[in-house]
Amino acid sequence: MSLRLGDNAPNFTAVTSLGELNFYEYLGDSWGVLFSHPADFTPVCTTELGRTAALNEEFAKRNVKPIAISVDDVKSHKEWISDINDTQNVSVQFPIIADEDKKVSELYDMIHPNASETVTVRSVFIIDPAKKVRLTLTYPASTGRNFNEIIRVIDSLQLTDKHKLATPVDWSNGDSCIVTPAVDTEKAKELFGKVEVIRPYLRYVKQPNK
């Protein structure tokens, strides 16, 4: 069964490149990005894990913990990490799940039989500290993911969880935000200051704390 937004992210215990871990315990009170890979030593995945490692400080300052998964074993993962570090000039510090029995892949519906019966597609799950699924993305095996977009979504989720706002098309951190319909204009002025009213339902304010 596929996971939907707002569902509880299933917990699991798995062997990883950093030893055995319980998913919920690993996340603690952090946000999480769980993302799957078709196999070790594949070129697109190598660039993706390298990019994730390069973004380590960006994830950390947002209280986000990444965790990757593929159906290969721990020995293969550790050998692959050496290749990633060498070819991408990074240091992979986050865990990679060794999902040989496909237990986690099936739990998160990461195997799409019409694409491949044996390997995971490129799935992404953003999970909040309450262990709720807040975003799902699925990419074909041939297309590398955009980690700038993943960071952008995390910024939007964390902002809009705190304030009664939404973020418009192509928004990035620091841009103007949209007042949600549940907040009238006078209340919006109290909360956010100047309100630019384009239509009664379309109102912009500066991003708080920027």
Side-chain angles (χ1 to χ4, degrees):
M1 183 178 68
S2 61
L3 292 172
R4 298 179 179 181
L5 300 186
D7 286 353
N8 289 321
N11 193 21
F12 57 83
T13 299
V15 176
T16 80
S17 56
L18 298 181
E20 185 174 276
L21 61 76
N22 176 277
F23 186 49
Y24 278 14
E25 291 177 1
Y26 170 71
L27 292 182
D29 62 358
S30 299
W31 291 69
V33 176
L34 173 64
F35 59 115
S36 59
H37 298 273
D40 294 358
F41 298 100
T42 50
V44 176
C45 296
T46 297
T47 64
E48 291 180 328
L49 269 71
R51 177 63 171 154
T52 304
L55 288 168
N56 178 62
E57 291 185 6
E58 294 300 317
F59 283 122
K61 74 184 185 182
R62 292 167 172 81
N63 190 31
V64 177
K65 292 181 178 179
I67 181 168
I69 178 173
S70 97
V71 297
D72 293 315
D73 61 25
V74 168
K75 181 176 182 292
S76 176
H77 285 355
K78 290 183 176 179
E79 292 171 350
W80 186 29
I81 286 170
S82 294
D83 262 14
I84 295 166
N85 291 344
D86 185 43
T87 62
Q88 309 302 303
N89 193 30
V90 295
S91 177
V92 172
Q93 302 294 327
F94 56 88
I96 306 175
I97 297 165
D99 195 34
E100 293 180 88
D101 60 4
K102 302 181 180 65
K103 176 183 174 182
V104 179
S105 301
E106 292 174 354
L107 191 62
Y108 278 78
D109 195 29
M110 294 174 173
I111 296 176
H112 296 190
N114 289 330
S116 171
E117 294 183 359
T118 58
V119 299
T120 56
V121 293
R122 280 198 173 83
S123 298
V124 182
F125 298 88
I126 293 178
I127 298 161
D128 70 17
K131 310 302 184 290
K132 300 291 186 182
V133 175
R134 302 296 299 276
L135 172 137
T136 63
L137 289 169
T138 301
Y139 289 73
S142 58
T143 304
R145 284 167 280 216
N146 185 332
F147 280 80
N148 291 330
E149 171 64 3
I150 291 170
I151 291 286
R152 189 186 80 92
V153 172
I154 291 167
D155 284 341
S156 175
L157 288 170
Q158 292 183 345
L159 172 70
T160 57
D161 278 0
K162 186 175 181 180
H163 302 282
K164 295 177 180 180
L165 296 170
T167 54
V169 62
D170 294 335
W171 176 89
S172 61
N173 201 358
D175 289 350
S176 294
C177 303
I178 290 174
V179 180
T180 61
V183 179
D184 66 36
T185 299
E186 290 306 311
K187 183 63 176 178
K189 290 177 181 177
E190 292 178 22
L191 293 171
F192 309 115
K194 182 180 178 182
V195 179
E196 181 184 4
V197 180
I198 308 299
R199 293 288 188 275
Y201 64 87
L202 180 59
R203 298 160 296 161
Y204 289 90
V205 296
K206 289 185 177 180
Q207 180 176 328
N209 303 322
K210 288 291 182 180

